[in-house]
Amino acid sequence: MSKKRVLLLSEGFGAGHTQAAYALSSSLRKLSSDVQTKVLELGSFLNPHVAPLIINAYKKTVTNQPRLVALMYKSQYKKPINRFTTLALHRLFYTHTRSIIRQLKPDIIVCTHPIPSAVIARLKRLGLQVPLCTVITDYDVHGTWISPEVNRYLVSTTDVKDKLTQRGVTLEKIQVTGIPVHPNFWEHPSHDEIRQKFNLKPMPTVLVMGGGWGLMTDEIVNEYLAKWHKDIQFIYVLGNNEKSRIAMEQSPIYQQPNIHVMGFTREVDKLMEVSDLLVTKPGGMTCSEGLAKGIPMLFHNPLPGQEQENCQYFTDLGLGEPISSLQVVEKWMNKLLNNYSDIVQKREKHIREIEKFHPMQSARSILELVDSERVPT
């Protein structure tokens, strides 16, 4: 019997979408030995010269003109990608998408970014007979995620489900599974081994992350955190931002025994495991990874749109707090120093309560859709 083939499509606009695709790939293969997966950042794969230019332009816009990004997000919030834009994207980047599908012969296509989802939806309108599953990787739903041709939506919360139904998506097409994170985030390896590997001490520890792009632009917060280095250990992860990493390593402010500066790493799960507080931009994937680890979160500089919605969601749940002032940071540093046992106990309780968000829920839903003879249309 041939293996079930799952094609997972993402785009490189931030690291979270592709991380979700790889997390699903790993979960699917753990769940069944009869599954074969393939992950592609579609635009970069089909047009490796032009796609990075567009992604870099988007990154600069996000960094330098956040108000413009907010305006664009809000103006298009309830609108799907229109057919003209989809057609233009198809001709610019995805001319060969159909031939790739014919070559790989997937039994299902899973999209963790709205652009490939819209392109596959257009191919389905043109006759493609492959189920399309769209995984919404935030705690809100922008109109660009929505297409009538999507057979199933996997969403983070019931709130997102309700927003989809308000926009005409039928309940049968929606399953609340949580955002899929890599299965490693659900494991709890030895803290001593992790500390030995990263040269860390057994003391209150704060992990500071700027997302996959390393957009850690809040120097005031970073420097204020570093002032607590005598009593609290800090791990700064700057992603792919080599310029910032080098500058931070050369700064006397961060040249302290209890401060560790790192670039991109694939072992964030281990760093979260031995940390007691996460300071991060509220990207959907990072927040979901923090959720799986049960670590309390402080949010700094959310990007307009999805990150602001993510920040609000986790704040409302009591799982995070925005850094509205340095007093918020001071409060949490004092908690780590004076109420450490309370933080540990609350985290242990949280971990026991989050089984419903386990990544296998998404993987099971995808395999169920593959196996189903009654695919919703």
Side-chain angles (χ1 to χ4, degrees), residues 13-14 53-63 69 213 303:
F13 293 91
L53 298 177
I54 294 177
I55 291 170
N56 285 333
Y58 172 76
K59 179 180 176 181
K60 289 181 180 178
T61 303
V62 166
T63 305
V69 175
W213 283 346
L303 296 176

Side-chain angles (χ1 to χ4, degrees), residues 6-20:
V6 181
L7 176 60
L8 300 113
L9 300 179
S10 180
E11 286 294 1
F13 293 91
H17 301 286
T18 302
Q19 287 176 3

Side-chain angles (χ1 to χ4, degrees), residues 40-111:
L40 293 176
E41 287 185 344
L42 196 56
S44 298
F45 178 76
L46 293 176
N47 204 322
H49 300 295
V50 176
L53 298 177
I54 294 177
I55 291 170
N56 285 333
Y58 172 76
K59 179 180 176 181
K60 289 181 180 178
T61 303
V62 166
T63 305
N64 300 325
Q65 301 184 58
R67 290 184 180 180
L68 175 61
V69 175
L71 180 63
M72 294 171 60
Y73 181 87
K74 291 178 181 177
S75 66
Q76 300 295 316
Y77 182 72
K78 293 186 177 181
K79 300 177 182 178
I81 296 179
N82 61 61
R83 295 201 174 194
F84 175 80
T85 303
T86 304
L87 178 61
L89 288 169
H90 183 80
R91 289 181 174 175
L92 281 171
F93 294 102
Y94 308 127
T95 305
H96 304 296
T97 302
R98 187 189 291 274
S99 62
I100 288 176
I101 294 172
R102 285 174 176 167
Q103 179 182 352
L104 296 178
K105 296 181 175 61
D107 296 296
I108 189 171
I109 299 173
V110 180
C111 293

Side-chain angles (χ1 to χ4, degrees), residues 102-362:
R102 285 174 176 167
Q103 179 182 352
L104 296 178
K105 296 181 175 61
D107 296 296
I108 189 171
I109 299 173
V110 180
C111 293
T112 59
H113 190 278
I115 290 179
S117 179
V119 171
I120 299 303
R122 181 174 183 273
L123 288 177
K124 285 174 68 69
R125 287 196 296 272
L126 297 175
L128 179 67
Q129 298 294 315
V130 180
L132 170 59
C133 179
T134 293
V135 183
I136 298 179
T137 53
D138 281 296
Y139 292 82
D140 189 28
V141 53
H142 193 273
T144 53
W145 286 103
I146 302 173
S147 298
E149 292 76 20
V150 174
N151 299 103
R152 179 166 295 173
Y153 293 91
L154 304 185
V155 304
S156 53
T157 68
T158 55
D159 289 341
V160 175
K161 180 188 73 173
D162 292 342
K163 289 179 180 181
L164 283 174
T165 58
Q166 289 167 12
R167 299 185 196 182
V169 180
T170 59
L171 281 172
E172 310 87 70
K173 287 188 174 186
I174 310 169
Q175 290 193 3
V176 179
T177 59
I179 295 176
V181 302
H182 196 281
N184 288 351
F185 284 88
W186 295 86
E187 298 174 358
H188 301 286
S190 165
H191 286 201
D192 290 338
E193 291 180 6
I194 297 173
R195 292 187 181 115
Q196 183 176 2
K197 179 174 183 177
F198 291 99
N199 195 29
L200 301 171
K201 298 175 183 176
M203 61 188 296
T205 301
V206 177
L207 175 62
V208 187
M209 296 180 61
W213 283 346
L215 298 176
M216 292 175 61
T217 57
D218 197 337
E219 290 303 320
I220 294 175
V221 170
N222 292 336
E223 291 182 11
Y224 182 76
L225 286 167
K227 292 180 179 180
W228 298 77
H229 68 88
K230 291 183 180 179
D231 301 303
I232 298 174
Q233 184 169 234
F234 294 91
I235 308 168
Y236 290 87
V237 178
L238 280 80
N240 292 312
N241 194 332
E242 283 295 291
K243 182 179 179 181
S244 294
R245 180 186 64 80
I246 293 171
M248 187 174 280
E249 287 179 339
Q250 294 176 347
S251 171
I253 295 173
Y254 304 103
Q255 293 176 355
Q256 306 294 339
N258 293 332
I259 294 180
H260 306 261
V261 179
M262 302 175 59
F264 177 80
T265 175
R266 297 189 183 279
E267 297 185 289
V268 171
D269 59 298
K270 295 183 176 64
L271 297 176
M272 282 191 187
E273 179 68 23
V274 295
S275 298
D276 304 293
L277 177 68
L278 173 62
V279 180
T280 180
K281 297 183 67 59
M285 180 53 63
T286 302
C287 289
S288 299
E289 291 168 348
L291 177 71
K293 282 296 183 185
I295 188 170
M297 294 175 273
L298 292 184
F299 304 124
H300 67 127
N301 283 350
L303 296 176
Q306 289 99 328
E307 286 195 356
Q308 290 176 334
E309 296 295 333
N310 297 341
C311 179
Q312 188 64 51
Y313 174 78
F314 280 90
T315 300
D316 289 345
L317 283 184
L319 301 175
E321 184 175 353
I323 301 176
S324 55
S325 67
L326 290 181
Q327 283 70 35
V328 173
V329 180
E330 180 183 18
K331 177 184 71 175
W332 277 92
M333 296 304 100
N334 284 319
K335 279 186 177 182
L336 287 173
L337 293 177
N338 303 317
N339 302 99
Y340 184 74
S341 60
D342 291 343
I343 292 177
V344 172
Q345 290 174 8
K346 185 175 180 181
R347 183 175 182 178
E348 291 173 349
K349 179 182 178 182
H350 172 74
I351 288 174
R352 292 193 296 268
E353 294 174 349
I354 58 175
E355 179 62 26
K356 63 181 179 180
F357 295 107
H358 197 281
M360 290 304 173
Q361 299 293 340
S362 301

